[in-house]
Amino acid sequence: KKYGAEWKCWYYTDYHRGHGYLNVIGAIQKSCNFFFYETADRMGIDTLDKYAKYFGLGTKTGIELPSEVSGTLASKEYAKSINASWNPGDTINAAIGQGYNKFTPLQMAKYISMVANGGNKIDVSIVKTIQNADGTEVSKDEIRKFVNEKLGISNDDQNEKINLNSQYVNAVKEGMRSVTSGEAGTAYARFKNFNIAVGGKTGSAEAGKDAKGKDIVNAWFAAFAPYDDPEIAVVIMVENGGHGNYTAEAVRNIMAEYFGMNTQDVTEDMQANAYTESINLKKDQIVVKIAEDAEQKRIISELSRKISDLKKLYKDEKTPIRIVGKVLKNKEIDEIQELIKEKIDVEIDFD
């Protein structure tokens, strides 16, 4: 009992016993609330808030989409903004993501990605590159400045660099690996036969009560893989989904698809030949060879993706395009001519 309230771990509530002595790795593996209650109480909300902000919690990620919300990071400042006082128990609640905390799945994906890369900051973006009309690329700084102005994000939202102790980060990552690989891990049952090492964390976020007075618990699972050389971070939240263990299965399936583990069940696309066999510049003309078994819709689709290749080969307006191979119908020829001429004003011949 502390600060006028009883602080119990979910494990004690369910099984009427504690987890025993734990370090941070074991506490993450078993999702021990009480360990993090005590950690936050010793740390204090100001320090907890400082690191949470650094990892992007409670602030917009800056993704190039409208209507992104900031969410809420539990803090003394937030309590003051709603005319509430901050109590020691609020710090304990905040330690496990409860209380005033409200985060988006995208913020959590950024957070997990930063843990996976050792604590280095990352940009959240759906834009890979932007090219000017002259072929040069717009700098990332210029893109970010433009996006921030459009979204109303100020430089004040960009928190200063914090030097993280790699031993501490590695301990957290090791705990996340034990969630999926250790028999006591809260997601072990979902990943025990998975042949890629995964770092993950289950979460069960209480979100009030429903009309019948029953607890609403949102199920979370956040993960990254491969553990030793991360490529992907996945976060799933299911409203009123219960224990985060249930969402871990969906994360596993997404990762299986990403790493090609499901390809044994797919044969058609894996064995299909390209519909445009080649695009070459020969004797002052561009020759596009169409596969004999190509369907007209597939030809149109593939040529639309390869217009950039045609542009690179197309040196001047006198360079004609010659399409050879599959015999096409007049309607198909018209569609292909229209497709190419939308991008390049050039003569097109068919053999």
Side-chain angles (χ1 to χ4, degrees):
K1 191 170 182 178
K2 207 169 198 179
Y3 306 125
E6 289 188 347
W7 305 95
K8 297 177 181 179
C9 181
W10 68 269
Y11 191 75
Y12 181 86
T13 302
D14 289 355
Y15 301 106
H16 307 293
R17 60 180 183 271
H19 282 121
Y21 289 102
L22 295 172
N23 59 15
V24 68
I25 295 173
I28 292 172
Q29 179 191 44
K30 298 178 180 180
S31 197
C32 181
N33 293 352
F34 197 85
F35 181 95
F36 297 105
Y37 291 155
E38 183 63 23
T39 301
D41 192 41
R42 297 184 188 186
M43 179 187 296
I45 189 59
D46 293 335
T47 302
L48 182 62
D49 187 47
K50 172 185 174 182
Y51 284 93
K53 283 181 177 177
Y54 175 74
F55 281 94
L57 299 179
T59 58
K60 291 182 179 180
T61 65
I63 193 169
E64 303 89 345
L65 294 172
S67 305
E68 183 186 13
V69 297
S70 299
T72 303
L73 177 62
S75 65
K76 292 177 181 177
E77 290 77 14
Y78 178 74
K80 185 177 180 180
S81 73
I82 59 171
N83 297 317
S85 59
W86 187 267
N87 299 305
D90 293 326
T91 301
I92 292 177
N93 252 337
I96 60 168
Q98 296 292 158
Y100 296 123
N101 287 315
K102 292 181 181 179
F103 308 135
T104 68
L106 187 60
Q107 287 174 1
M108 294 301 295
K110 177 181 179 179
Y111 167 43
I112 293 301
S113 297
M114 288 178 64
V115 171
N117 74 17
N120 299 306
K121 285 203 166 189
I122 61 169
D123 290 327
V124 178
S125 177
I126 56 174
V127 176
K128 186 176 182 181
T129 59
I130 296 178
Q131 287 192 333
N132 294 311
D134 61 3
T136 59
E137 285 191 5
V138 179
S139 71
K140 291 189 179 297
D141 288 341
E142 189 176 347
I143 295 172
R144 178 53 55 196
K145 180 181 177 183
F146 176 83
V147 171
N148 286 350
E149 288 176 355
K150 287 292 184 181
L151 298 179
I153 299 175
S154 67
N155 290 331
D156 294 338
D157 296 331
Q158 311 300 320
N159 298 302
E160 61 180 297
K161 170 69 177 174
I162 294 178
N163 292 319
L164 300 172
N165 188 313
S166 60
Q167 287 183 311
Y168 300 160
V169 176
N170 289 337
V172 171
K173 290 170 65 177
E174 186 59 40
M176 293 180 70
R177 176 163 62 177
S178 69
V179 167
T180 64
S181 63
E183 291 187 6
T186 51
Y188 173 71
R190 308 298 179 186
F191 286 90
K192 62 182 179 181
N193 295 319
F194 204 68
N195 58 10
I196 291 178
V198 175
K201 182 67 184 75
T202 53
S204 305
E206 297 175 5
K209 297 184 181 294
D210 63 17
K212 296 181 179 179
K214 293 184 178 180
D215 290 335
I216 298 173
V217 181
N218 297 333
W220 288 80
F221 192 74
F224 65 89
Y227 179 82
D228 291 320
D229 188 16
E231 294 180 22
I232 182 175
V234 182
V235 173
I236 289 182
M237 188 276 285
V238 177
E239 291 184 296
N240 207 16
H243 196 284
N245 173 276
Y246 305 139
T247 51
E249 185 169 357
V251 171
R252 182 201 64 196
N253 292 342
I254 290 171
M255 287 186 169
E257 187 69 26
Y258 175 84
F259 290 113
M261 296 178 182
N262 296 331
T263 54
Q264 64 270 23
D265 299 324
V266 181
T267 57
E268 181 179 356
D269 289 343
M270 297 298 292
Q271 297 176 354
N273 293 322
Y275 295 104
T276 54
E277 290 185 353
S278 61
I279 300 177
N280 297 296
L281 181 63
K282 295 182 177 179
K283 295 182 179 179
D284 297 324
Q285 65 179 354
I286 298 170
V287 179
V288 180
K289 186 176 181 182
I290 304 295
E292 292 296 330
D293 59 348
E295 298 175 4
Q296 184 259 347
K297 288 183 179 180
R298 297 287 191 176
I299 298 171
I300 297 293
S301 175
E302 187 153 324
L303 277 176
S304 68
R305 293 197 304 272
K306 293 189 175 181
I307 286 293
S308 60
D309 295 329
L310 293 175
K311 280 187 172 182
K312 289 176 184 177
L313 290 169
Y314 178 56
K315 302 301 181 183
D316 58 57
E317 61 183 17
K318 295 181 180 180
T319 308
I321 295 176
R322 182 179 169 211
I323 297 181
V324 301
K326 183 180 187 293
V327 176
L328 300 170
K329 298 177 182 178
N330 288 337
K331 182 180 178 181
E332 295 170 345
I333 291 173
D334 290 343
E335 288 193 40
I336 291 174
Q337 284 180 323
E338 184 178 348
L339 170 71
I340 295 176
K341 287 191 173 183
E342 283 180 0
K343 306 291 183 180
I344 308 171
D345 185 14
V346 65
E347 179 185 347
I348 306 171
D349 293 326
F350 291 82
D351 284 353

